[in-house]
Amino acid sequence: MLEKTTRVNFLYDFYQTLLTDKQRIYMQLYYLDDLSLGEIAEEYGVSRQAVYDNVRRTEAMLEDYEDKLNLFSKFQKRMELVDELEQLVSDCSSSEKLRDLLTALKEHE
C-alpha cells in the first residue's frame, strides 16, 4: 500500500497541472493531507462514494498520463543513473564507465 501511495504522489507531482481543480483538491486531501474519504465528503457536502469515485478515476487518469508521457519512469531512470555516477565518482578508476553513464544520462533528458 505504501508503494502505491508513493507512486500516486509522484504521478500527482508530475501531472497535477493536467487535472481539474476538484481532482487536485481531492487528491491532495486524500494522499498528501491523509484525510479519509468520509472527511473529504463531509467537508465538500458530497457522498463518500462520490469522493471515492473521483479519487479512483483520477488515479486512472494519472496512470494513463504516465503511460503516454513517461515522465515518472524517465525521472526514475535518471535517478538510477545519478546514483551510479555518484558511486563511480568516489572510485575515480572507472573513467570509461563514467563517460558511458554521462552519455546515457544525457540521452534521457
Side-chain angles (χ1 to χ4, degrees):
M1 182 65 176
L2 182 60
E3 189 174 308
K4 178 189 176 197
T5 300
T6 302
R7 179 175 174 78
V8 171
N9 282 331
F10 271 112
L11 293 178
Y12 176 79
D13 285 344
F14 281 104
Y15 303 114
Q16 67 180 306
T17 57
L18 301 175
L19 302 175
T20 67
D21 289 339
K22 186 166 137 181
Q23 289 170 325
R24 273 195 300 276
I25 289 167
Y26 285 0
M27 293 299 282
Q28 182 173 352
L29 292 173
Y30 187 69
Y31 279 103
L32 301 176
D33 297 343
D34 201 29
L35 266 62
S36 71
L37 296 172
E39 291 170 322
I40 299 167
E42 185 177 319
E43 185 172 330
Y44 286 92
V46 298
S47 70
R48 182 188 175 287
Q49 186 64 42
V51 175
Y52 175 82
D53 290 344
N54 186 292
V55 168
R56 294 300 167 242
R57 271 194 314 273
T58 304
E59 288 172 0
M61 288 176 67
L62 292 172
E63 289 293 346
D64 188 49
Y65 293 146
E66 177 59 16
D67 288 343
K68 292 175 181 169
L69 300 171
N70 296 306
L71 296 178
F72 179 54
S73 61
K74 288 176 184 178
F75 169 78
Q76 286 180 305
K77 181 63 177 172
R78 282 192 306 272
M79 291 301 101
E80 289 170 10
L81 292 170
V82 166
D83 289 344
E84 213 173 324
L85 278 170
E86 286 176 338
Q87 290 175 0
L88 286 173
V89 165
S90 65
D91 178 21
C92 294
S93 64
S94 305
S95 62
E96 183 64 32
K97 178 69 175 165
L98 187 59
R99 275 192 293 267
D100 292 343
L101 282 172
L102 282 171
T103 302
L105 185 59
K106 288 178 184 177
E107 289 172 359
H108 286 289
E109 285 299 316

